Amino acid sequence: MVESTEGDRLVSDVTPQALLTSSDPGVVRVEGGMLVPAGNGAAVIEARHEGHTASAAVTVTGMDQPHVWSFRNHVQSVLAKKGCNAGACHGALAGKGGFKLSLRGYDTMRDFETITRQARGRRIELADPGRSLILAKPSGAIPHKGGLRFDVDSLEYRVLSEWIAAGALPPREDDPRLDHLEILPHRAVLAKDAQQQIVVRAHFADGRVEDVTQWAKFTSTDETVAQVDEAGKVTVTSYGEGAVTAWYASNIAVARIASPYPHQIDPAVFASAPRRNFIDELVLDKLQSLNLRPSPAASDAEFLRRAYLDTIGTLPSVDEARRFLADTSPDKRDRLIDELLARPEFVDYWSYKWSDLLLVSGNKLRPDALKAYYRWIRESVESDKPWDEFAREIVTATGSSYENGATNFFALHQDPQEMTENVSMAFMGLSIGCAKCHNHPLEKWTNDQYYAMANLFARVRAKGWGGDFRAGDGRRTVYVASKGDLIQPLRGKPQPPAPLDGEPIPFDATGDRRTHLADWLTSPENPYFSRAITNRIWANFMGVGLVEAVDDMRESNPPSNEELLDAAAQFLVENQYQLKPLMRAILQSAAYQRSSKPLPENKDEHRYYSRNYPKRLMAEVMLDAISQVTQARTTFAGYDEGTRALELPDSSVDSYFLKTFGRAEREITCECERSSEPSMVQVLHISNGDTINQKLHAEKNRLEQLLGADVSGEQIIEEAYLAALSRYPTDTEREQLLALMRQDDGVERRVLVEDLFWSVLSSKEFLFNH
């Protein structure tokens, strides 16, 4: 691979145009862009392109030794690359045509036995490899429902046939094991329509390095930016930054491909842009690298409403809006941020957020258990409990479900597998459920690792588990037994208890195994933990996570700004996992305080924070906001009058509005449960549904109070705008609305005021946080 560079950036793959020569073809020769060993020794490969030269030293050894293909590292690679052991073929749960392989070759020994011993050994023919079914079918010699997978003159055919001819040797315990994958180039900056060949190298534990590009499976994380073919050739399709992942032998490597937008932006724009903290430094670096102009700062009114909704889920009152907009002091935004972080509504909002995450629902918990669970979450938020302590108390919870609300996590997840999967999702953003049956097809997690971690929960017991959760009073007592292990079905024996990437503990170790898990989970050296909660916090304020989806933190789904996520996660660790310092840093950043109005030079991007991204209000916040603007309370069955939606501990409370606007049902630990997708039902409900109309007609609401005070039409208009939009009406809006309210056409003044408030409450400016 020959790359053209600008400074330290790779900007073009010039391999097809470069002239490659070998100083000694008797050692290594160049054939069609590939280096082929010819004899032991050393040589230098020189590349020439447009007056530039580069060279690489090559050493060839072992040419006097016979080459033997390994079942583990070569045969399995052929089967995986050609899809033979994919989920749609013989890797399916029941296999295909009586032939079943492990998904993507995760069980090497079982696959060897299946190929060489089953079907009376007909799948291989040692005396005549070409007659082997494993060769004859995929090469088209005999009918094959899977179609043609490779030709007889291909490298794949050669590997399988030579392995069979050599005696179909089995995998050995001393086979070199893969240590890690290397992908080249790791980063590249390319023009639109440019192409780039990806090279993948496998580093084995014995020190050997092998080019496995031909065996790797490639995927693009964003095909609107870059596409990749089966051979690893990337084509840049548009502007932005994407990633290409290479999978080989259950290992993942990621290459970042950037394509700057074709905007001409003076570097002085970025040099003079406001920089409040590390967030702005790293956001602006990314924007400059992609030629994206940052939008100007949001107005005071925009910032005020945005900060309230993002931090406490509530609109500012009319008086609060007036005071803030009239304040001319330079530090008023910082003071507002500190006030919001200390407000009691902060506790309501974030208790609700974490109740979504931890599935607090009357559909699964009896009332007293639910109250205890919610109370524990609320007290944790109110006391500003560090996130590592929060997670540790959940993971190691014991005792009564009434007295220690955290134990209800184990009432919801009653077997070691469920406990493992939900701890991984809630606190690391990792969905490892696929590894329950086989190695994860999209990640590095193996079936062994899954059951090793699940074995950490194997001794968790509870008095009162089982049966219908609705039966009895819901009281459970969680405790830890002194013995017991989880059997891994594939092995028929338990795995040494260990966290996903952590060290195992002895089977006979005393004490609660979950303590070992909690130590690993909350360690500053565990990047999954700090990055997951950082990404959740970031997405709440910025509208788009650094990783999307928010709880999909797998390695093959890289962040839009790797350096920023790392820095923000490290900031969290340095602040002892206190969440408010990170929230304050985000709120204070110029990136957060930018206008949502797009510019010609940033209107097409949605991931790099050149502007604020408008987001629809979540269902509970919207309902509370409608109630707040109209000053007409919402009533929920079983709760005191005036209880706000964000104060509800139970997501199963009956509410047509909350259900219609995408409330999380708290059935699974996934951000995907909450929906912000628009629907015709939502449109109709806003237009003429009961929620807004009943509140506009309610007695003693804001409208009635304004009419009773006999205030002017201008004052009513101003009140409506400040209450709903946190801003004064523009001159044009004021004049047009006053003209309508002055019309003497027999319409009651109450109807005019109701129409005014309805028009504001049904506007996009109200329904979205911008």
Side-chain angles (χ1 to χ4, degrees):
M1 186 167 61
V2 184
E3 293 290 318
S4 175
T5 63
E6 289 181 2
D8 59 352
R9 301 194 313 176
L10 301 181
V11 296
S12 178
D13 181 352
V14 296
T15 309
Q17 295 81 36
L19 175 63
L20 292 169
T21 58
S22 170
S23 64
D24 189 346
V27 173
V28 60
R29 63 182 184 271
V30 180
E31 290 184 1
M34 299 289 288
L35 304 187
V36 181
N40 293 336
V44 174
I45 302 298
E46 185 178 71
R48 293 180 175 275
H49 177 65
E50 295 184 350
H52 298 277
T53 62
S55 62
V58 176
T59 302
V60 177
T61 60
M63 291 297 289
D64 53 343
Q65 302 294 323
H67 178 73
V68 178
W69 297 110
S70 158
F71 182 85
R72 185 186 306 277
N73 295 322
H74 298 117
V75 173
Q76 288 285 62
S77 297
V78 169
L79 299 177
K81 177 68 175 185
K82 292 304 174 182
C84 304
N85 54 22
C89 199
H90 299 291
L93 185 62
K96 291 285 184 181
F99 182 25
K100 173 174 169 47
L101 296 170
S102 63
L103 185 65
R104 292 198 177 186
Y106 75 89
D107 191 343
T108 299
M109 183 54 72
R110 190 177 73 179
D111 287 348
F112 173 79
E113 296 288 338
T114 299
I115 292 170
T116 61
R117 302 290 187 267
Q118 284 186 3
R120 293 178 293 180
R122 292 189 308 118
R123 293 193 178 112
I124 62 169
E125 180 59 60
L126 298 179
D128 187 358
R131 293 172 54 200
S132 303
L133 292 180
I134 199 170
L135 275 173
K137 282 197 170 187
S139 64
I142 59 178
H144 180 222
K145 287 186 178 180
L148 181 68
R149 311 309 293 180
F150 47 75
D151 295 318
V152 294
D153 58 352
S154 66
L155 180 59
E156 290 82 4
Y157 191 97
R158 177 187 166 197
V159 170
L160 295 180
S161 62
E162 290 184 3
W163 169 71
I164 296 170
L169 298 177
R172 297 168 33 175
E173 284 301 315
D174 61 351
D175 281 342
R177 302 303 175 100
L178 181 63
D179 182 70
H180 68 277
L181 283 187
E182 177 187 17
I183 192 166
L184 298 170
H186 180 61
R187 286 181 178 271
V189 180
L190 306 172
K192 184 176 179 291
D193 299 324
Q195 291 189 321
Q196 171 70 58
Q197 176 62 49
I198 297 294
V199 171
V200 183
R201 307 205 311 162
H203 292 251
F204 291 91
D206 62 356
R208 182 168 57 87
V209 180
E210 183 175 337
D211 184 339
V212 295
T213 307
Q214 66 267 41
W215 311 127
K217 293 186 76 68
F218 297 96
T219 56
S220 172
T221 62
D222 187 348
E223 293 200 345
T224 64
V225 175
Q227 297 178 355
V228 62
D229 66 14
E230 187 180 78
K233 176 154 285 189
V234 175
T235 301
V236 179
T237 54
S238 187
Y239 308 109
E241 187 170 282
V244 170
T245 64
W247 181 95
Y248 172 79
S250 295
N251 278 247
I252 296 280
V254 181
R256 306 301 293 264
I257 307 295
S259 180
Y261 287 79
H263 307 136
Q264 300 299 317
I265 302 176
D266 190 334
V269 170
F270 301 100
S272 62
R275 300 168 188 259
R276 183 65 188 273
N277 52 33
F278 72 93
I279 292 172
D280 293 320
E281 296 289 345
L282 294 169
V283 168
L284 288 169
D285 284 350
K286 178 66 70 175
L287 296 181
Q288 186 167 13
S289 72
L290 293 174
N291 294 336
L292 292 167
R293 184 187 295 272
S295 288
S299 67
D300 282 344
E302 289 173 320
F303 171 77
L304 173 69
R305 189 175 190 269
R306 182 188 304 169
Y308 263 78
L309 290 170
D310 285 340
T311 311
I312 64 174
T314 302
L315 292 170
S317 69
V318 170
D319 289 341
E320 287 168 339
R322 289 185 192 276
R323 283 197 301 270
F324 185 80
L325 296 177
D327 190 347
T328 59
S329 56
D331 65 340
K332 68 177 186 178
R333 293 193 180 191
D334 282 355
R335 286 190 286 107
L336 176 68
I337 291 167
D338 289 337
E339 290 168 8
L340 291 175
L341 293 173
R343 290 271 294 255
E345 296 94 336
F346 177 92
V347 180
D348 298 333
Y349 181 68
W350 289 96
S351 297
Y352 200 93
K353 296 278 285 187
W354 302 146
S355 295
D356 276 358
L357 183 68
L358 296 175
L359 309 183
V360 182
S361 171
N363 288 328
K364 294 188 174 183
L365 294 171
R366 296 292 288 160
D368 288 339
L370 181 143
K371 291 175 184 176
Y373 200 11
Y374 177 75
R375 183 171 60 249
W376 178 84
I377 294 171
R378 185 176 178 84
E379 289 172 352
S380 297
V381 176
E382 195 167 24
S383 65
D384 201 19
K385 184 178 292 178
W387 190 250
D388 59 336
E389 292 182 23
F390 184 93
R392 178 180 290 276
E393 290 181 21
I394 286 278
V395 171
T396 63
T398 57
S400 167
S401 58
Y402 285 12
E403 297 167 9
N404 180 5
T407 62
N408 286 287
F409 177 86
F410 294 99
L412 296 171
H413 316 297
Q414 295 186 9
D415 65 59
Q417 295 95 322
E418 280 192 9
M419 297 172 193
T420 298
E421 292 175 21
N422 284 280
V423 164
S424 298
M425 179 63 85
F427 296 115
M428 295 186 288
L430 297 175
S431 177
I432 65 170
C434 288
K436 181 177 180 178
C437 300
H438 46 70
N439 288 1
H440 201 300
L442 301 175
E443 265 302 296
K444 67 178 184 177
W445 311 119
T446 67
N447 186 243
D448 287 343
Q449 285 179 300
Y450 177 96
Y451 280 95
M453 183 161 168
N455 206 14
L456 292 166
F457 292 103
R459 297 177 180 177
V460 179
R461 306 282 190 273
K463 297 176 182 177
W465 272 358
D468 188 348
F469 81 93
R470 299 174 185 81
D473 60 3
R475 185 185 292 274
R476 308 283 189 271
T477 301
V478 176
Y479 65 96
V480 177
S482 59
K483 61 181 181 180
D485 287 295
L486 177 67
I487 301 299
Q488 180 185 4
L490 181 64
R491 309 289 184 200
K493 61 182 181 180
Q495 288 294 301
L500 288 176
D501 265 343
E503 294 298 321
I505 57 175
F507 283 110
D508 58 357
T510 59
D512 189 347
R513 290 176 174 178
R514 297 176 303 164
T515 301
H516 179 65
L517 171 61
D519 291 342
W520 171 84
L521 178 68
T522 62
S523 168
E525 282 70 48
N526 180 358
Y528 308 110
F529 181 73
S530 56
R531 284 162 62 100
I533 184 57
T534 296
N535 193 52
R536 291 187 191 278
I537 297 294
W538 182 272
N540 174 83
F541 287 98
M542 302 299 286
V544 176
L546 287 161
V547 174
E548 281 289 333
V550 170
D551 40 22
D552 185 12
M553 301 292 291
R554 55 193 162 87
E555 186 179 354
S556 53
N557 183 36
S560 60
N561 191 326
E562 184 83 41
E563 294 78 8
L564 178 54
L565 180 55
D566 286 343
Q570 183 59 35
F571 180 85
L572 178 71
V573 173
E574 290 170 355
N575 283 276
Q576 288 74 53
Y577 295 99
Q578 296 279 352
L579 300 184
K580 284 187 178 180
L582 177 60
M583 295 176 182
R584 182 178 291 107
I586 295 171
L587 285 161
Q588 289 179 337
S589 69
Y592 177 80
Q593 297 187 23
R594 286 197 184 100
S595 170
S596 60
K597 297 180 179 65
L599 302 174
E601 299 93 340
N602 69 22
K603 63 182 177 64
D604 295 324
E605 77 86 5
H606 304 280
R607 292 203 66 190
Y608 309 109
Y609 313 104
S610 63
R611 64 186 191 280
N612 183 271
Y613 306 120
K615 49 190 180 291
R616 205 207 69 195
L617 302 184
M618 62 185 264
E620 298 82 353
V621 171
M622 188 187 298
L623 181 57
D624 286 346
I626 294 170
S627 300
Q628 181 180 344
V629 172
T630 58
Q631 292 186 351
R633 295 173 175 175
T634 301
T635 301
F636 298 101
Y639 290 86
D640 295 337
E641 185 179 359
T643 300
R644 296 184 304 123
L646 282 175
E647 295 174 318
L648 295 172
D650 185 1
S651 68
S652 66
V653 172
D654 184 47
S655 171
Y656 178 80
F657 185 95
L658 296 181
K659 182 177 180 180
T660 298
F661 283 86
R663 168 183 63 186
E665 297 300 323
R666 299 180 182 172
E667 292 291 331
I668 57 173
T669 305
C670 180
E671 197 73 21
C672 58
E673 270 209 326
R674 181 173 293 280
S675 172
S676 60
E677 290 297 313
S679 69
M680 185 56 65
V681 175
Q682 294 173 7
V683 173
L684 294 173
H685 192 71
I686 290 293
S687 298
N688 54 23
D690 291 341
T691 303
I692 292 180
N693 285 327
Q694 287 181 358
K695 292 184 184 302
L696 292 177
H697 300 329
E699 295 181 357
K700 299 179 181 179
N701 65 6
R702 187 189 296 268
L703 289 72
E704 191 169 292
Q705 294 171 39
L706 289 169
L707 291 169
D710 196 27
V711 297
S712 68
E714 185 169 358
Q715 288 174 300
I716 292 175
I717 294 167
E718 188 174 281
E719 180 97 359
Y721 270 71
L722 287 170
L725 308 178
S726 306
R727 68 173 177 87
Y728 292 100
T730 65
D731 291 341
T732 301
E733 289 169 334
R734 181 182 285 106
E735 292 170 5
Q736 291 177 340
L737 290 169
L738 277 174
L740 291 172
M741 295 189 73
R742 290 191 190 111
Q743 289 179 358
D744 186 13
D745 55 3
V747 179
E748 292 183 13
R749 196 166 190 237
R750 171 71 185 243
V751 175
L752 291 172
V753 174
E754 287 180 0
D755 286 350
L756 165 65
F757 273 81
W758 178 89
S759 65
V760 173
L761 291 173
S762 61
S763 68
K764 286 192 291 185
E765 188 175 356
F766 173 78
L767 299 174
F768 282 76
N769 184 3
H770 51 87

